[in-house]
Amino acid sequence: MTSPVVRRVALHEWREVRDLRIQAVGDENAAIAFTTTRDEELARDDAFWRGRTAGAAMGDNAAQFVAIVGDAWVGSASVLLRAADAPAAGALRADVVGVYVAPVHRGAGILGLLFDEAAAWARAQGCDALTLSTHLDNARARAAYRKAGFTPTGVTFTSSVGPELEMRRAIA
């Protein structure tokens, strides 16, 4: 297998961003992790995808990282910077969202590579950790996140997809 290339998306790659997102939300084993459906994503126009990709490629408060094997886009993770709940004024929190690795590439280390790139970007923005949430019924994702260095924070909440558990990975 060709080694994966993991990098931030580029402005002109909106079609690839769109296609990977549609693949992700259409994966029956990953659908529990997303707040939209395949039909909802298919209904979005090209302007939406261009705008989403522009923010992910060039934004200061968001970045999308992709894993590419050969010519195939096989994984993605996005980071959104938000105000932290910490007492320090001006602190930022780096929330990882939209995590996906194509089924045939799961278990090959791609998830860790995506998180490493996300962590490097978040560190450069002044963050000291990555945070994500996972559905309580998604044991497969929780195990993969633990393997990638995330630990439960003890915070649970209910989102639009149901009960979720927050996990955190310190950035060295």
Side-chain angles (χ1 to χ4, degrees), residues 32-43:
I32 194 171
F34 296 99
T35 59
T36 59
T37 66
R38 186 173 188 278
D39 288 342
E40 289 170 325
E41 299 294 7
L42 285 168

Side-chain angles (χ1 to χ4, degrees), residues 116-136:
D116 289 347
E117 285 296 311
W121 181 82
R123 183 183 322 107
Q125 309 310 309
C127 298
D128 63 359
L130 295 176
T131 305
L132 55 74
S133 62
T134 183
H135 196 284
L136 285 176

